[in-house]
Amino acid sequence: MKNEKKKSEGELNFFEYILRAFVKPFEEFKKTEKNFSDQKNTLILGGIVVAILTALKLIGTIINTVRVTSILGGTKWVFENIKNINFIKTIGGSAITYALIILAIAGVYYLASLVIKKETNFFKLMGASITAFIPMAVSTTLLSTLLSMISIKLGVAVVIIGFIYSLLILIELINYLIPIENQNTKIYFHLTCLSLLFLTGAFIGYKMIVGSVTSGIGSFYN
């Protein structure tokens, strides 16, 4: 009762919310919904989540760098490889990527809600985006790295599970914030938004890979 009273008064225990939302995302978001009307709460939560995920990504990068597996299957830890990590690029790139993903999800759904004339709050959508993004980001940063030490299949499996979990959370929270009575319209609404997000992400990823390969070929010939 005390925690619920705090939440209703506009106070938000950010770390407690992150931990609770990981296990009971819909219930915790519904309890905390009013807090996300305050853009300060939403931005602080977003900043904390991005910082935590960036730290996890850095830890995963360090583990993958110092853990060297030979063709014969042997594994050794070469801590000297840490010097090969570009910490500024890793930290800055990860933080920007996570922030852009959260903003992109909220932005696309907000614009789509305007198109179908359903009034909603952008910062509540951003809160939903942050809540849904946590499982996928955690599974693709630290968990997949740790489980891959045991088995590559386990690492891949946890990434897939994390992605599905995040997607289900996002759809449920969006349905709650943007109620659409017609079920077919609801399906097409999510199809349009998610397709736009995935296609945009795939295009950007493709351009980055092609740019990297092209740069590498150019360096080779030079």
Side-chain angles (χ1 to χ4, degrees), residues 51-67 77 79 82 85 87 90-91 94 98 137-138 140-146 149:
I52 292 173
L53 296 178
T54 299
L56 292 178
K57 176 65 175 179
L58 179 60
I59 293 171
T61 300
I62 292 174
I63 292 174
N64 286 328
T65 302
V66 302
R67 183 173 180 269
W77 296 85
F79 291 96
I82 293 179
I85 300 175
F87 285 94
T90 301
I91 295 172
S94 298
Y98 293 138
V138 171
T140 56
T141 52
L142 188 60
L143 291 182
S144 62
T145 300
L146 294 176
M149 294 181 188

Side-chain angles (χ1 to χ4, degrees), residues 8-24:
S8 65
E9 290 173 353
E11 298 178 13
L12 179 60
N13 187 322
F14 300 103
F15 292 101
E16 180 183 340
Y17 176 79
I18 292 170
L19 293 174
R20 288 178 177 272
F22 191 88
V23 180
K24 297 181 178 180

Side-chain angles (χ1 to χ4, degrees), residues 83-97:
K83 64 183 180 182
N84 297 326
I85 300 175
N86 187 330
F87 285 94
I88 296 177
K89 183 178 180 180
T90 301
I91 295 172
S94 298
I96 292 172
T97 299

Side-chain angles (χ1 to χ4, degrees), residues 63-218:
I63 292 174
N64 286 328
T65 302
V66 302
R67 183 173 180 269
V68 180
T69 303
S70 66
I71 300 176
L72 300 176
T75 301
K76 60 181 180 178
W77 296 85
V78 184
F79 291 96
E80 293 181 359
N81 288 347
I82 293 179
K83 64 183 180 182
N84 297 326
I85 300 175
N86 187 330
F87 285 94
I88 296 177
K89 183 178 180 180
T90 301
I91 295 172
S94 298
I96 292 172
T97 299
Y98 293 138
L100 287 178
I101 290 174
I102 291 171
L103 289 171
I105 294 172
V108 166
Y109 271 103
Y110 180 73
L111 292 175
S113 70
L114 295 179
V115 172
I116 63 173
K117 297 180 180 179
K118 290 284 184 178
E119 186 176 349
T120 188
N121 184 296
F122 174 78
F123 290 100
K124 285 186 179 181
L125 286 175
M126 190 173 167
S129 175
I130 294 167
T131 304
F133 183 62
I134 294 172
M136 183 179 70
V138 171
S139 66
T140 56
T141 52
L142 188 60
L143 291 182
S144 62
T145 300
L146 294 176
L147 290 176
S148 293
M149 294 181 188
I150 302 173
S151 169
I152 296 296
K153 292 179 181 178
L154 279 176
V156 174
V158 77
V159 170
I160 294 173
I161 293 171
F163 174 77
I164 294 173
Y165 187 31
S166 285
L167 190 59
L168 291 173
I169 293 171
L170 178 65
I171 291 174
E172 285 300 319
L173 293 184
I174 294 299
N175 286 341
Y176 172 71
L177 292 175
I178 308 175
I180 300 174
E181 293 74 22
N182 187 288
Q183 295 300 318
N184 288 321
T185 302
K186 186 184 297 184
I187 291 172
Y188 291 130
F189 177 73
H190 285 294
L191 175 64
T192 302
C193 293
L194 292 174
S195 296
L196 182 59
L197 288 167
F198 284 125
L199 290 173
T200 302
F203 177 75
I204 293 174
Y206 171 78
K207 296 296 286 184
M208 289 177 65
I209 293 173
V210 171
S212 178
V213 171
T214 304
S215 176
I217 293 175

